[in-house]
Amino acid sequence: MSSLSNYDKHSQATKAVWAGEKPYRVHGASQVPLVHSVAYTYDDLDHWYEVAIGNAYGHIYGRNTNPTVESFEEKMRILEGAEAATSFSTGMAAISNSLHTFLRPGDRIVTIKDTYGGTNKIFSEFLPKLNIDITFCDTGEHEQVEKEIAKGCQLVYLETPTNPTVKVTDIERMVKAAKAQNALIFVDNTFATPLNQNPLKYGVDLVIHSATKFLGGHADALGGVICGNKDLVEKVFHYREINGATMDPNAAYFMIRGLKTLDLRITRQCESAQKIAEYLQQHPLVEDVFYPGLKDHSHHDIAKKQMKRFGGMLSFSMKNGMAAVKEFLPKLELANRAANLGAVETTVGPARTTSHVENTPEERKELGIPESLVRYSVGIEDVDDLINDIEQAFSYVTK
Ligand SMILES: *Cc1c(COP(=O)(O)O)cnc(C)c1O
């Protein structure tokens, strides 16, 4: 990986626009070109060999590296303040490849109960088959997590804020606990994005993102990315280049374009989420509202300490349960009812159909996810329009 400017003197918003692009803009292009080539040609056999064995910079084959993909990785590396970054076909590939790179039979993982549904399935269904022991702690119960870590483990896996009830874990505190056991610690930073939270700053080993969500931002490309120190990221890169969950250059192009407006989008989405959460909180049809920006959120103080803004995701439950949700959700005009989040359009869905569709009702209950929980990913629409839309949809709910 070539050493590039970190745009250190600039703010994150500026880095999102400019960082990681210059060496890739060939022919004077003002944008990073989409390179579709699977393989790269060499007339000089010695040079080809040097590149192939990693002694010289260059590209060999698309499963390993690609210039467009690399430019995206550079942008993310700089935004997370990392030594290195590598990318994947999806967020789940980023998570599974990172886990499989480091875990061995007999290892123990300490994690929280409400990680993303797919992540939870890796822990509950696939890793136990490899004789890996997983301990699930109540999310946000810091003392319980610390106690479990202190019993000894190889990996601590966190997500903060979580999907879908937006619970928050104190990253700095968990790093301390993990490091005392010489355990690795990974954080899924999808909900916060690198503009709102940089877990590496607190000593986290790997930061993981589903780029499909806020980073791309337009719900039209899948991807994943990890950032961390060079040694760890290179190990995961090697696992990925052999096992093949490579990001498609098309997706990388969309991600680069999406990242340019990340700060604009996130600023709007976070401001609107706060207003919508406060509106919902005082609404008689609403039972509970989950948003870390609310003063009575159980970990508002931790969120304030480690996050720049509180994110564009919120969720809420309704007093009349699923019956009310069934009356309300179909009437929203300004929302895609879909299993996605982080898009420019507002996206909604019941948790039982979206993030936690893989879980049984009993598992969701255990996870503290009400069956009637509505996940509301705030888009970039005008916030008054969104609130009016919710208001008119509420009018269809039987009192
Ligand atoms: C969506 C999501 C993932 C998985 O990402 P994909 O790109 O869908 O594979 C992982 N973690 C979180 C928090 C997510 O929201």
Side-chain angles (χ1 to χ4, degrees):
M1 180 118 292
S2 56
S3 124
L4 303 169
S5 162
N6 282 347
Y7 290 81
D8 275 344
K9 61 177 191 271
H10 300 293
S11 74
Q12 291 282 83
T14 306
K15 287 178 191 170
V17 179
W18 287 100
E21 296 194 9
K22 278 238 171 85
Y24 302 98
R25 293 198 203 158
V26 290
H27 306 299
S30 66
Q31 302 301 318
V32 174
L34 174 43
V35 178
H36 267 132
S37 190
V38 164
Y40 300 78
T41 67
Y42 293 85
D43 294 334
D44 181 332
L45 291 189
D46 291 331
H47 182 213
W48 188 8
Y49 177 70
E50 290 302 311
V51 173
I53 64 169
N55 282 351
Y57 176 78
H59 302 280
I60 296 289
Y61 186 68
R63 174 158 37 75
N64 316 117
T65 62
N66 167 285
T68 313
V69 172
E70 203 174 84
S71 176
F72 162 65
E73 292 167 346
E74 266 301 286
K75 212 184 251 308
M76 283 304 298
R77 178 186 76 75
I78 291 164
L79 285 171
E80 282 291 13
E83 261 176 40
T86 194
S87 62
F88 305 84
S89 52
T90 63
M92 284 314 302
I95 293 166
S96 63
N97 282 228
S98 299
L99 292 170
H100 284 286
T101 299
F102 298 105
L103 291 169
R104 299 291 172 267
D107 280 354
R108 177 168 181 261
I109 304 177
V110 175
T111 187
I112 50 175
K113 282 182 183 169
D114 39 354
T115 49
Y116 178 72
T119 310
N120 201 274
K121 274 288 157 193
I122 295 183
F123 291 145
S124 59
E125 185 178 340
F126 294 105
L127 291 184
K129 288 182 194 164
L130 304 176
N131 191 26
I132 291 163
D133 180 48
I134 328 283
T135 302
F136 296 93
C137 302
D138 293 322
T139 310
E141 293 299 321
H142 291 85
E143 273 162 37
Q144 188 192 343
V145 188
E146 280 169 339
K147 255 189 210 150
E148 288 300 334
I149 295 172
K151 290 179 189 166
C153 62
Q154 282 65 44
L155 178 75
V156 176
Y157 188 97
L158 299 175
E159 185 181 317
T160 183
T162 55
N163 191 351
T165 47
V166 236
K167 290 180 191 148
V168 172
T169 296
D170 188 325
I171 298 172
E172 197 174 12
R173 189 166 161 186
M174 293 301 115
V175 166
K176 248 185 223 139
K179 291 300 143 193
Q181 299 300 320
N182 276 326
L184 290 170
I185 175 163
F186 299 171
V187 173
D188 183 331
N189 204 26
T190 301
F191 270 35
T193 85
L195 297 198
N196 281 343
Q197 181 171 277
N198 298 112
L200 296 176
K201 211 166 69 180
Y202 301 104
V204 162
D205 293 299
L206 284 185
V207 170
I208 304 177
H209 288 277
S210 167
T212 313
K213 313 293 169 55
F214 290 99
L215 304 184
H218 294 72
D220 53 7
L222 292 161
V225 60
I226 64 163
C227 303
N229 79 39
K230 208 158 174 277
D231 176 50
L232 295 181
V233 171
E234 272 176 2
K235 285 187 171 120
V236 186
F237 165 76
H238 181 61
Y239 185 94
R240 192 269 284 152
E241 69 171 340
I242 301 303
N243 286 277
T246 305
M247 176 177 272
D248 186 85
N250 268 304
Y253 182 86
F254 283 135
M255 296 305 168
I256 292 166
R257 188 161 71 169
L259 280 172
K260 285 178 192 270
T261 58
L262 183 63
D263 188 70
L264 281 178
R265 288 186 282 114
I266 296 289
T267 302
R268 168 69 75 98
Q269 285 164 319
C270 294
E271 275 172 22
S272 301
Q274 182 75 34
K275 284 186 190 152
I276 293 168
E278 285 167 10
Y279 158 79
L280 289 170
Q281 218 175 14
Q282 53 74 47
H283 202 285
L285 289 174
V286 174
E287 186 179 56
D288 263 320
V289 184
F290 305 95
Y291 185 64
L294 293 174
K295 291 213 169 58
D296 58 4
H297 180 279
S298 50
H299 292 122
H300 175 68
D301 289 343
I302 300 170
K304 228 164 118 174
K305 180 183 80 167
Q306 67 193 20
M307 298 179 77
K308 188 176 166 203
R309 292 160 295 201
F310 301 108
M313 278 296 297
L314 59 95
S315 59
F316 61 98
S317 56
M318 296 185 69
K319 279 186 184 144
N320 247 347
M322 208 52 211
V325 172
K326 281 183 181 167
E327 290 172 322
F328 161 71
L329 267 196
K331 297 295 182 189
L332 283 176
E333 287 170 12
L334 298 176
N336 283 320
R337 281 156 288 271
N340 191 23
L341 62 98
V344 288
E345 300 92 2
T346 292
T347 310
V348 298
R352 70 167 193 182
T353 323
T354 55
S355 60
H356 286 71
V357 68
E358 280 103 350
N359 300 99
T360 61
E362 293 72 38
E363 284 172 336
R364 282 191 293 270
K365 188 155 185 240
E366 171 70 11
L367 294 172
I369 300 168
E371 284 298 288
S372 69
L373 191 78
V374 174
R375 211 172 63 161
Y376 194 98
S377 169
V378 183
I380 61 168
E381 303 92 340
D382 182 280
V383 66
D384 292 332
D385 288 339
L386 291 179
I387 290 175
N388 288 338
D389 190 37
I390 296 171
E391 183 79 38
Q392 66 78 25
F394 275 155
S395 74
Y396 292 91
V397 177
T398 312
K399 300 277 177 335

mmCIF file of all heavy atoms in Angstrom, residues 89-95 115-119 157 159-163 188-191 208-213 221-224 339-341 355 375, ligand 1:
data_model
loop_
_atom_site.group_PDB
_atom_site.id
_atom_site.type_symbol
_atom_site.label_atom_id
_atom_site.label_comp_id
_atom_site.label_asym_id
_atom_site.label_seq_id
_atom_site.Cartn_x
_atom_site.Cartn_y
_atom_site.Cartn_z
ATOM 1 N N SER A 89 -17.112 -8.006 0.092
ATOM 2 C CA SER A 89 -18.328 -7.994 -0.729
ATOM 3 C C SER A 89 -19.544 -7.492 0.048
ATOM 4 O O SER A 89 -20.442 -6.897 -0.525
ATOM 5 C CB SER A 89 -18.604 -9.401 -1.249
ATOM 6 O OG SER A 89 -18.592 -10.325 -0.172
ATOM 7 N N THR A 90 -19.586 -7.746 1.343
ATOM 8 C CA THR A 90 -20.706 -7.307 2.197
ATOM 9 C C THR A 90 -20.187 -7.015 3.606
ATOM 10 O O THR A 90 -19.045 -7.381 3.933
ATOM 11 C CB THR A 90 -21.793 -8.409 2.355
ATOM 12 O OG1 THR A 90 -21.197 -9.530 3.027
ATOM 13 C CG2 THR A 90 -22.360 -8.866 1.023
ATOM 14 N N GLY A 91 -21.045 -6.431 4.418
ATOM 15 C CA GLY A 91 -20.692 -6.228 5.828
ATOM 16 C C GLY A 91 -20.522 -7.559 6.546
ATOM 17 O O GLY A 91 -19.609 -7.736 7.356
ATOM 18 N N MET A 92 -21.391 -8.516 6.236
ATOM 19 C CA MET A 92 -21.291 -9.825 6.883
ATOM 20 C C MET A 92 -19.980 -10.520 6.512
ATOM 21 O O MET A 92 -19.394 -11.234 7.333
ATOM 22 C CB MET A 92 -22.490 -10.720 6.524
ATOM 23 C CG MET A 92 -23.787 -10.376 7.239
ATOM 24 S SD MET A 92 -23.625 -10.074 9.023
ATOM 25 C CE MET A 92 -22.917 -11.607 9.582
ATOM 26 N N ALA A 93 -19.513 -10.332 5.274
ATOM 27 C CA ALA A 93 -18.217 -10.911 4.884
ATOM 28 C C ALA A 93 -17.098 -10.272 5.703
ATOM 29 O O ALA A 93 -16.158 -10.949 6.134
ATOM 30 C CB ALA A 93 -17.975 -10.723 3.385
ATOM 31 N N ALA A 94 -17.195 -8.964 5.930
ATOM 32 C CA ALA A 94 -16.182 -8.280 6.749
ATOM 33 C C ALA A 94 -16.145 -8.891 8.146
ATOM 34 O O ALA A 94 -15.078 -9.143 8.717
ATOM 35 C CB ALA A 94 -16.483 -6.786 6.827
ATOM 36 N N ILE A 95 -17.333 -9.146 8.691
ATOM 37 C CA ILE A 95 -17.423 -9.689 10.051
ATOM 38 C C ILE A 95 -16.932 -11.141 10.087
ATOM 39 O O ILE A 95 -16.066 -11.495 10.894
ATOM 40 C CB ILE A 95 -18.876 -9.587 10.568
ATOM 41 C CG1 ILE A 95 -19.253 -8.105 10.741
ATOM 42 C CG2 ILE A 95 -19.049 -10.343 11.890
ATOM 43 C CD1 ILE A 95 -20.734 -7.834 10.910
ATOM 44 N N THR A 115 -26.162 -7.883 19.062
ATOM 45 C CA THR A 115 -25.453 -7.543 17.831
ATOM 46 C C THR A 115 -26.433 -7.717 16.666
ATOM 47 O O THR A 115 -27.505 -8.295 16.826
ATOM 48 C CB THR A 115 -24.258 -8.493 17.584
ATOM 49 O OG1 THR A 115 -24.713 -9.834 17.730
ATOM 50 C CG2 THR A 115 -23.114 -8.208 18.529
ATOM 51 N N TYR A 116 -26.047 -7.230 15.498
ATOM 52 C CA TYR A 116 -26.825 -7.402 14.261
ATOM 53 C C TYR A 116 -27.249 -8.873 14.116
ATOM 54 O O TYR A 116 -26.478 -9.774 14.463
ATOM 55 C CB TYR A 116 -25.946 -6.966 13.091
ATOM 56 C CG TYR A 116 -26.587 -7.139 11.741
ATOM 57 C CD1 TYR A 116 -27.628 -6.309 11.339
ATOM 58 C CD2 TYR A 116 -26.150 -8.118 10.862
ATOM 59 C CE1 TYR A 116 -28.213 -6.460 10.097
ATOM 60 C CE2 TYR A 116 -26.725 -8.273 9.613
ATOM 61 C CZ TYR A 116 -27.762 -7.436 9.236
ATOM 62 O OH TYR A 116 -28.329 -7.600 8.001
ATOM 63 N N GLY A 117 -28.460 -9.108 13.610
ATOM 64 C CA GLY A 117 -29.003 -10.463 13.506
ATOM 65 C C GLY A 117 -28.063 -11.471 12.848
ATOM 66 O O GLY A 117 -27.903 -12.593 13.340
ATOM 67 N N GLY A 118 -27.435 -11.076 11.751
ATOM 68 C CA GLY A 118 -26.520 -11.985 11.047
ATOM 69 C C GLY A 118 -25.297 -12.317 11.893
ATOM 70 O O GLY A 118 -24.844 -13.465 11.955
ATOM 71 N N THR A 119 -24.770 -11.314 12.571
ATOM 72 C CA THR A 119 -23.611 -11.510 13.446
ATOM 73 C C THR A 119 -23.979 -12.485 14.565
ATOM 74 O O THR A 119 -23.233 -13.418 14.884
ATOM 75 C CB THR A 119 -23.189 -10.157 14.069
ATOM 76 O OG1 THR A 119 -23.084 -9.201 13.025
ATOM 77 C CG2 THR A 119 -21.876 -10.273 14.803
ATOM 78 N N TYR A 157 -16.202 -8.917 21.191
ATOM 79 C CA TYR A 157 -16.869 -8.401 19.992
ATOM 80 C C TYR A 157 -18.035 -7.496 20.388
ATOM 81 O O TYR A 157 -18.954 -7.917 21.072
ATOM 82 C CB TYR A 157 -17.393 -9.555 19.112
ATOM 83 C CG TYR A 157 -17.905 -9.049 17.786
ATOM 84 C CD1 TYR A 157 -17.097 -9.077 16.650
ATOM 85 C CD2 TYR A 157 -19.187 -8.508 17.680
ATOM 86 C CE1 TYR A 157 -17.566 -8.580 15.441
ATOM 87 C CE2 TYR A 157 -19.654 -8.000 16.476
ATOM 88 C CZ TYR A 157 -18.843 -8.046 15.361
ATOM 89 O OH TYR A 157 -19.298 -7.550 14.170
ATOM 90 N N GLU A 159 -20.773 -4.051 19.297
ATOM 91 C CA GLU A 159 -21.421 -3.216 18.290
ATOM 92 C C GLU A 159 -22.014 -2.082 19.096
ATOM 93 O O GLU A 159 -22.691 -2.323 20.099
ATOM 94 C CB GLU A 159 -22.510 -4.057 17.619
ATOM 95 C CG GLU A 159 -23.211 -3.401 16.462
ATOM 96 C CD GLU A 159 -24.297 -4.336 15.879
ATOM 97 O OE1 GLU A 159 -24.050 -5.546 15.714
ATOM 98 O OE2 GLU A 159 -25.386 -3.832 15.614
ATOM 99 N N THR A 160 -21.779 -0.842 18.706
ATOM 100 C CA THR A 160 -22.356 0.288 19.437
ATOM 101 C C THR A 160 -22.472 1.504 18.539
ATOM 102 O O THR A 160 -21.502 1.842 17.862
ATOM 103 C CB THR A 160 -21.567 0.610 20.727
ATOM 104 O OG1 THR A 160 -22.228 1.684 21.413
ATOM 105 C CG2 THR A 160 -20.111 0.992 20.505
ATOM 106 N N PRO A 161 -23.639 2.152 18.448
ATOM 107 C CA PRO A 161 -24.919 1.705 18.993
ATOM 108 C C PRO A 161 -25.406 0.431 18.299
ATOM 109 O O PRO A 161 -24.991 0.142 17.187
ATOM 110 C CB PRO A 161 -25.872 2.863 18.698
ATOM 111 C CG PRO A 161 -25.017 4.030 18.379
ATOM 112 C CD PRO A 161 -23.758 3.485 17.810
ATOM 113 N N THR A 162 -26.324 -0.298 18.977
ATOM 114 C CA THR A 162 -26.776 -1.574 18.432
ATOM 115 C C THR A 162 -28.042 -1.437 17.596
ATOM 116 O O THR A 162 -28.774 -0.460 17.684
ATOM 117 C CB THR A 162 -27.089 -2.571 19.560
ATOM 118 O OG1 THR A 162 -28.035 -1.972 20.446
ATOM 119 C CG2 THR A 162 -25.842 -2.977 20.297
ATOM 120 N N ASN A 163 -28.271 -2.470 16.863
ATOM 121 C CA ASN A 163 -29.386 -2.635 15.956
ATOM 122 C C ASN A 163 -30.358 -3.629 16.610
ATOM 123 O O ASN A 163 -29.923 -4.746 16.890
ATOM 124 C CB ASN A 163 -28.796 -3.243 14.671
ATOM 125 C CG ASN A 163 -29.741 -3.245 13.511
ATOM 126 O OD1 ASN A 163 -30.910 -2.954 13.642
ATOM 127 N ND2 ASN A 163 -29.207 -3.607 12.372
ATOM 128 N N ASP A 188 -18.190 -3.155 15.712
ATOM 129 C CA ASP A 188 -18.999 -2.855 14.526
ATOM 130 C C ASP A 188 -19.469 -1.408 14.652
ATOM 131 O O ASP A 188 -20.248 -1.079 15.547
ATOM 132 C CB ASP A 188 -20.187 -3.828 14.452
ATOM 133 C CG ASP A 188 -21.044 -3.630 13.207
ATOM 134 O OD1 ASP A 188 -21.109 -2.494 12.699
ATOM 135 O OD2 ASP A 188 -21.681 -4.611 12.759
ATOM 136 N N ASN A 189 -18.976 -0.561 13.749
ATOM 137 C CA ASN A 189 -19.216 0.887 13.833
ATOM 138 C C ASN A 189 -20.241 1.357 12.796
ATOM 139 O O ASN A 189 -20.311 2.540 12.485
ATOM 140 C CB ASN A 189 -17.861 1.609 13.603
ATOM 141 C CG ASN A 189 -17.786 2.996 14.204
ATOM 142 O OD1 ASN A 189 -18.473 3.299 15.173
ATOM 143 N ND2 ASN A 189 -16.957 3.852 13.620
ATOM 144 N N THR A 190 -21.011 0.412 12.262
ATOM 145 C CA THR A 190 -21.939 0.713 11.161
ATOM 146 C C THR A 190 -22.910 1.846 11.486
ATOM 147 O O THR A 190 -23.120 2.748 10.672
ATOM 148 C CB THR A 190 -22.752 -0.551 10.792
ATOM 149 O OG1 THR A 190 -21.843 -1.578 10.412
ATOM 150 C CG2 THR A 190 -23.718 -0.284 9.660
ATOM 151 N N PHE A 191 -23.510 1.797 12.686
ATOM 152 C CA PHE A 191 -24.531 2.791 13.026
ATOM 153 C C PHE A 191 -23.952 4.186 13.218
ATOM 154 O O PHE A 191 -24.611 5.169 12.929
ATOM 155 C CB PHE A 191 -25.286 2.363 14.297
ATOM 156 C CG PHE A 191 -26.494 1.531 14.010
ATOM 157 C CD1 PHE A 191 -26.502 0.629 12.960
ATOM 158 C CD2 PHE A 191 -27.637 1.644 14.794
ATOM 159 C CE1 PHE A 191 -27.618 -0.146 12.681
ATOM 160 C CE2 PHE A 191 -28.766 0.880 14.526
ATOM 161 C CZ PHE A 191 -28.761 -0.015 13.478
ATOM 162 N N ILE A 208 -15.211 -2.401 12.220
ATOM 163 C CA ILE A 208 -15.892 -3.065 11.109
ATOM 164 C C ILE A 208 -17.103 -2.236 10.695
ATOM 165 O O ILE A 208 -17.798 -1.688 11.550
ATOM 166 C CB ILE A 208 -16.349 -4.485 11.537
ATOM 167 C CG1 ILE A 208 -15.136 -5.274 12.051
ATOM 168 C CG2 ILE A 208 -17.061 -5.202 10.399
ATOM 169 C CD1 ILE A 208 -15.468 -6.670 12.572
ATOM 170 N N HIS A 209 -17.320 -2.155 9.375
ATOM 171 C CA HIS A 209 -18.504 -1.455 8.867
ATOM 172 C C HIS A 209 -19.228 -2.296 7.836
ATOM 173 O O HIS A 209 -18.584 -2.902 6.972
ATOM 174 C CB HIS A 209 -18.112 -0.166 8.120
ATOM 175 C CG HIS A 209 -17.638 0.937 8.986
ATOM 176 N ND1 HIS A 209 -18.491 1.795 9.626
ATOM 177 C CD2 HIS A 209 -16.390 1.344 9.311
ATOM 178 C CE1 HIS A 209 -17.794 2.674 10.303
ATOM 179 N NE2 HIS A 209 -16.513 2.427 10.145
ATOM 180 N N SER A 210 -20.545 -2.263 7.887
ATOM 181 C CA SER A 210 -21.314 -2.598 6.698
ATOM 182 C C SER A 210 -21.358 -1.314 5.883
ATOM 183 O O SER A 210 -22.015 -0.349 6.275
ATOM 184 C CB SER A 210 -22.726 -3.044 7.055
ATOM 185 O OG SER A 210 -23.503 -3.063 5.872
ATOM 186 N N ALA A 211 -20.641 -1.295 4.751
ATOM 187 C CA ALA A 211 -20.618 -0.093 3.896
ATOM 188 C C ALA A 211 -21.930 0.077 3.149
ATOM 189 O O ALA A 211 -22.219 1.141 2.592
ATOM 190 C CB ALA A 211 -19.450 -0.181 2.912
ATOM 191 N N THR A 212 -22.728 -0.992 3.164
ATOM 192 C CA THR A 212 -24.045 -1.002 2.509
ATOM 193 C C THR A 212 -24.955 0.094 3.054
ATOM 194 O O THR A 212 -25.835 0.571 2.351
ATOM 195 C CB THR A 212 -24.711 -2.371 2.781
ATOM 196 O OG1 THR A 212 -23.769 -3.409 2.521
ATOM 197 C CG2 THR A 212 -25.933 -2.571 1.935
ATOM 198 N N LYS A 213 -24.757 0.462 4.289
ATOM 199 C CA LYS A 213 -25.684 1.346 4.984
ATOM 200 C C LYS A 213 -25.301 2.818 4.763
ATOM 201 O O LYS A 213 -25.432 3.305 3.668
ATOM 202 C CB LYS A 213 -25.731 0.979 6.467
ATOM 203 C CG LYS A 213 -25.885 -0.530 6.715
ATOM 204 C CD LYS A 213 -27.214 -1.101 6.266
ATOM 205 C CE LYS A 213 -27.256 -2.613 6.258
ATOM 206 N NZ LYS A 213 -26.897 -3.259 7.521
ATOM 207 N N ALA A 221 -25.750 -0.490 -3.344
ATOM 208 C CA ALA A 221 -24.521 -1.278 -3.439
ATOM 209 C C ALA A 221 -24.222 -1.934 -2.087
ATOM 210 O O ALA A 221 -24.416 -1.315 -1.041
ATOM 211 C CB ALA A 221 -23.352 -0.383 -3.841
ATOM 212 N N LEU A 222 -23.759 -3.176 -2.154
ATOM 213 C CA LEU A 222 -23.383 -3.913 -0.936
ATOM 214 C C LEU A 222 -21.877 -3.798 -0.721
ATOM 215 O O LEU A 222 -21.104 -3.778 -1.683
ATOM 216 C CB LEU A 222 -23.730 -5.391 -1.087
ATOM 217 C CG LEU A 222 -25.210 -5.784 -1.134
ATOM 218 C CD1 LEU A 222 -25.354 -7.171 -1.743
ATOM 219 C CD2 LEU A 222 -25.816 -5.760 0.260
ATOM 220 N N GLY A 223 -21.464 -3.770 0.536
ATOM 221 C CA GLY A 223 -20.027 -3.774 0.805
ATOM 222 C C GLY A 223 -19.727 -3.807 2.284
ATOM 223 O O GLY A 223 -20.606 -3.558 3.123
ATOM 224 N N GLY A 224 -18.478 -4.140 2.598
ATOM 225 C CA GLY A 224 -18.018 -4.120 3.980
ATOM 226 C C GLY A 224 -16.581 -3.629 4.008
ATOM 227 O O GLY A 224 -15.888 -3.665 2.983
ATOM 228 N N ALA A 339 -35.897 -3.917 4.381
ATOM 229 C CA ALA A 339 -34.895 -4.406 5.330
ATOM 230 C C ALA A 339 -33.555 -3.736 5.067
ATOM 231 O O ALA A 339 -32.603 -4.366 4.610
ATOM 232 C CB ALA A 339 -34.769 -5.924 5.212
ATOM 233 N N ASN A 340 -33.488 -2.470 5.293
ATOM 234 C CA ASN A 340 -32.239 -1.729 5.054
ATOM 235 C C ASN A 340 -32.235 -0.519 5.961
ATOM 236 O O ASN A 340 -33.237 -0.224 6.623
ATOM 237 C CB ASN A 340 -32.181 -1.315 3.574
ATOM 238 C CG ASN A 340 -30.819 -0.783 3.177
ATOM 239 O OD1 ASN A 340 -29.803 -1.083 3.807
ATOM 240 N ND2 ASN A 340 -30.778 0.020 2.138
ATOM 241 N N LEU A 341 -31.127 0.189 5.999
ATOM 242 C CA LEU A 341 -31.038 1.414 6.797
ATOM 243 C C LEU A 341 -29.908 2.264 6.254
ATOM 244 O O LEU A 341 -29.103 1.809 5.440
ATOM 245 C CB LEU A 341 -30.803 1.067 8.276
ATOM 246 C CG LEU A 341 -29.515 0.322 8.635
ATOM 247 C CD1 LEU A 341 -28.448 1.284 9.130
ATOM 248 C CD2 LEU A 341 -29.778 -0.715 9.704
ATOM 249 N N SER A 355 -33.967 -6.555 10.903
ATOM 250 C CA SER A 355 -32.676 -6.891 11.514
ATOM 251 C C SER A 355 -32.685 -8.243 12.223
ATOM 252 O O SER A 355 -31.665 -8.920 12.283
ATOM 253 C CB SER A 355 -32.272 -5.798 12.503
ATOM 254 O OG SER A 355 -33.237 -5.685 13.521
ATOM 255 N N ARG A 375 -38.329 -0.043 13.446
ATOM 256 C CA ARG A 375 -37.024 0.559 13.211
ATOM 257 C C ARG A 375 -37.220 1.683 12.210
ATOM 258 O O ARG A 375 -37.828 1.485 11.160
ATOM 259 C CB ARG A 375 -36.110 -0.522 12.621
ATOM 260 C CG ARG A 375 -34.679 -0.387 12.971
ATOM 261 C CD ARG A 375 -33.930 -1.588 12.498
ATOM 262 N NE ARG A 375 -33.994 -1.702 11.034
ATOM 263 C CZ ARG A 375 -33.144 -2.437 10.339
ATOM 264 N NH1 ARG A 375 -32.200 -3.110 10.938
ATOM 265 N NH2 ARG A 375 -33.251 -2.510 9.038
HETATM 266 C C1 LIG B 1 -26.439 -4.437 7.862
HETATM 267 C C2 LIG B 1 -25.507 -4.625 8.980
HETATM 268 C C3 LIG B 1 -24.499 -5.605 8.919
HETATM 269 C C4 LIG B 1 -24.355 -6.531 7.741
HETATM 270 O O1 LIG B 1 -24.011 -5.863 6.574
HETATM 271 P P1 LIG B 1 -24.358 -6.411 5.089
HETATM 272 O O2 LIG B 1 -23.693 -5.413 4.219
HETATM 273 O O3 LIG B 1 -25.852 -6.433 4.967
HETATM 274 O O4 LIG B 1 -23.769 -7.769 4.995
HETATM 275 C C5 LIG B 1 -23.631 -5.700 9.994
HETATM 276 N N1 LIG B 1 -23.744 -4.906 11.074
HETATM 277 C C6 LIG B 1 -24.705 -3.965 11.170
HETATM 278 C C7 LIG B 1 -24.775 -3.117 12.382
HETATM 279 C C8 LIG B 1 -25.622 -3.794 10.128
HETATM 280 O O5 LIG B 1 -26.580 -2.874 10.238
#
